[in-house]
Amino acid sequence: MKSYNIYPIQFPFKKPSGTSRGVMTVKKSWFIRLSENDQSGWGECSIIEGLSPDYRDDASYMAQLEAFLKAWVSNDLNMLALAKHPSILFGLETALLDLKQGGNQRLFHTSFTRGKQKIQINGLIWMGTKDVMRQQLREKLDAGFKCVKLKIGAIDWSDEYELLRDLRREFPAEQLEIRVDANGAFSYESAQVILQQLATLDIHSIEQPIAPGQWEFMAKLCQNTPCPIALDEELISIHYDQGRRHLLQTIKPQYIILKPSLHGGFSGSKKWIEIAENQGVAWWMTSALESNLGLNAIAQVAATYDLTLPQGLGTGGLYTFNITSPLYLDGQYLGFDPEGKFEFDL
């Protein structure tokens, strides 16, 4: 007999975390537990307000989530119908895979889950004053990170550029990889100038320099940029392969960044990777601020690939509380303790 449970949860940030879209103080998620034949599987449906395409408000989200779970109980679930609901799809895929594998959150059998291999990650630097960002940078560098990602676009660009310039003076490109994430903060005109400035600092890449939906302008930037461009928000709401091919063929970015909760769950991310690699576009995965439950799922999916770039999976310590998991940080690496356990104290 099948059954399900839903657990709405809010994860408070240890510190208010700034992006060009505003400052976040809490993160909403819905944990789901699927049960069948004395086995249970857990998944996380994680949203970002104002960004997740399948979230308008709590009530409508809960109603849609419950409808899909009821369909699963009655053996009526059509996974294709979930394409436009990526956060729910991600949670369901995780829970179903966990249920199939025995309910211990070992979703894939890889060197990562056996504790034999770790995943290199970037250190995330949130927007703030120059002093606050400098402090964050120093903490990441002291911890051994060789790749950092800075959120930009919320304070004056001249201040952000000065911070990047000072950082590069202290750490040349062969010692430290610097990524920046604009979250679509700049205009097309200003982005052209900023890309030139970033190139003089040997910046690895910039995520989403202009707001999504401006394919013509983004294509022009990618064609002529001296600093590689990565698409992130641009991929949201592209649910099917034809659209994915069309976007990548039109814009021709240097990189794409995959967040399963936003970009089609496991299945959609896999399709993005296949299409991108066929077109010579590189990629990496990152979390969309999930708790350790969702972070674990994304890390395990990423570990099924031959990774050559640092992944964006260093978000497990953002909150004042989190579920206990086998994930741990070892300097700039994310590891998985095969003897560790998940504890759901909900």
Side-chain angles (χ1 to χ4, degrees):
M1 183 176 176
K2 292 181 175 179
S3 64
Y4 67 85
N5 300 90
I6 303 174
Y7 304 90
I9 304 176
Q10 292 195 29
F11 294 95
F13 282 83
K14 291 178 179 176
K15 300 176 182 177
S17 298
T19 75
S20 60
R21 288 187 297 271
V23 176
M24 293 184 290
T25 57
V26 296
K27 172 69 178 56
K28 293 181 179 180
S29 282
W30 285 258
F31 280 16
I32 58 174
R33 181 174 64 183
L34 306 183
S35 301
E36 184 178 16
N37 299 329
D38 298 323
Q39 296 279 359
S40 292
W42 289 84
E44 179 176 2
C45 301
S46 171
I47 62 94
I48 297 177
E49 294 184 67
L51 192 61
S52 296
D54 49 353
Y55 177 85
R56 292 194 310 275
D57 55 64
D58 289 0
S60 60
Y61 188 84
M62 183 71 168
Q64 187 63 75
L65 175 57
E66 196 145 25
F68 284 123
L69 294 177
K70 286 179 178 177
W72 173 74
V73 168
S74 61
N75 298 315
D76 243 352
L77 181 62
N78 178 2
M79 297 300 283
L80 293 177
L82 282 158
K84 295 182 179 180
H85 304 270
S87 67
I88 296 176
L89 175 58
F90 171 66
L92 267 168
E93 285 178 323
T94 303
L96 288 169
L97 190 54
D98 188 27
L99 185 62
K100 179 181 177 182
Q101 299 287 18
N104 61 5
Q105 284 294 312
R106 270 63 167 176
L107 308 179
F108 300 94
H109 299 290
T110 63
S111 296
F112 176 71
T113 54
R114 290 192 295 271
K116 303 295 185 183
Q117 189 172 9
K118 300 170 186 173
I119 299 173
Q120 186 184 5
I121 61 175
N122 61 236
L124 180 59
I125 311 299
W126 292 92
M127 290 172 172
T129 65
K130 282 197 298 181
D131 287 342
V132 168
M133 293 178 76
R134 284 182 196 277
Q135 180 182 351
Q136 292 181 72
L137 275 166
R138 177 50 55 194
E139 290 171 357
K140 296 300 182 186
L141 296 172
D142 288 347
F145 282 86
K146 303 299 182 186
C147 174
V148 294
K149 183 175 89 168
L150 287 81
K151 296 277 189 177
I152 62 172
I155 62 175
D156 187 76
W157 166 244
S158 62
D159 287 341
E160 292 175 333
Y161 177 75
E162 180 183 340
L163 179 68
L164 291 168
R165 185 191 60 199
D166 292 348
L167 182 62
R168 181 53 82 213
R169 283 175 176 170
E170 186 173 355
F171 298 96
E174 57 269 20
Q175 291 183 21
L176 181 68
E177 181 177 293
I178 303 174
R179 302 169 174 176
V180 297
D181 181 3
N183 289 124
F186 303 120
S187 68
Y188 171 67
E189 291 74 19
S190 63
Q192 295 177 79
V193 176
I194 289 168
L195 289 168
Q196 295 288 341
Q197 293 177 295
L198 292 174
T200 65
L201 302 178
D202 291 317
I203 300 301
H204 173 271
S205 57
I206 178 172
E207 289 181 42
Q208 206 68 43
I210 63 175
Q214 306 176 80
W215 287 21
E216 181 180 355
F217 286 145
M218 188 69 87
K220 288 180 179 178
L221 289 177
C222 289
Q223 182 179 2
N224 300 307
T225 185
C227 175
I229 292 173
L231 302 186
D232 179 357
E233 288 92 340
E234 202 75 64
L235 311 183
I236 297 173
S237 297
I238 307 296
H239 304 300
Y240 304 105
D241 288 357
Q242 183 177 358
R244 294 177 178 117
R245 291 191 187 92
H246 181 50
L247 182 146
L248 294 182
Q249 288 169 352
T250 300
I251 297 180
K252 296 182 173 61
Q254 286 73 43
Y255 299 101
I256 61 171
I257 298 168
L258 296 168
K259 298 175 178 174
S261 289
L262 293 171
H263 301 144
F266 294 156
S267 51
S269 298
K270 181 178 179 180
K271 288 293 187 179
W272 275 115
I273 289 170
E274 290 175 359
I275 294 167
E277 289 184 341
N278 284 337
Q279 296 189 27
V281 177
W283 60 271
W284 65 85
M285 281 194 184
T286 184
S287 80
L289 305 179
E290 290 85 359
S291 74
N292 281 340
L293 180 58
L295 180 63
N296 168 69
I298 299 169
Q300 289 197 37
V301 170
T304 65
Y305 292 91
D306 184 14
L307 302 175
T308 58
L309 295 170
Q311 307 294 296
L313 302 174
T315 56
L318 291 176
Y319 307 116
T320 56
F321 80 94
N322 210 324
I323 65 166
T324 301
S325 83
L327 296 175
Y328 66 93
L329 287 179
D330 180 13
Q332 63 169 338
Y333 294 95
L334 180 69
F336 185 95
D337 179 4
E339 303 300 321
K341 294 182 179 180
F342 285 84
E343 295 180 11
F344 297 93
D345 185 16
L346 303 179

